[in-house]
Amino acid sequence: MKMTIEVDCSAQEARAFLGLPDVTALNDKLVEEMQSRMTSNMAMLSPDELMKNWTAFGVGAQEQFRKLMSAAVDAGMGRPK
């Protein structure tokens, strides 16, 4: 025997029915914090600022970044290190 039961309720009603806490305030706070951090870091997204930061550390940092990118490509293609 096969039965299908369809329940039509909102997310808030489902949480209350299952006894789960209402995390709306926490979610709002996290979203606000993420927006704040993204806004403060927008300058870092400009290519000029990125290049200034990368070149400020010298050749060693650039080499480490290249190795990081190579390792990511190798891992993505299933190649061993």
Side-chain angles (χ1 to χ4, degrees):
M1 175 195 272
K2 184 176 182 180
M3 291 179 58
T4 301
I5 299 174
E6 186 175 327
V7 177
D8 185 18
C9 66
S10 68
Q12 184 178 9
E13 292 169 333
R15 277 194 302 269
F17 177 76
L18 295 172
L20 297 173
D22 182 12
V23 294
T24 305
L26 177 61
N27 186 54
D28 291 343
K29 179 66 177 164
L30 289 174
V31 169
E32 180 184 319
E33 180 66 24
M34 287 174 58
Q35 288 174 336
S36 172
R37 289 182 185 200
M38 286 178 63
T39 302
S40 67
N41 289 325
M42 282 300 224
M44 295 296 296
L45 295 178
S46 73
D48 293 342
E49 289 296 320
L50 285 173
M51 290 308 293
K52 282 181 195 175
N53 288 334
W54 289 347
T55 56
F57 293 112
V59 177
Q62 292 173 1
E63 182 64 21
Q64 286 181 343
F65 181 74
R66 188 192 63 75
K67 286 179 183 178
L68 175 69
M69 292 296 112
S70 295
V73 168
D74 291 343
M77 300 179 104
R79 290 187 246 170
K81 288 184 176 181

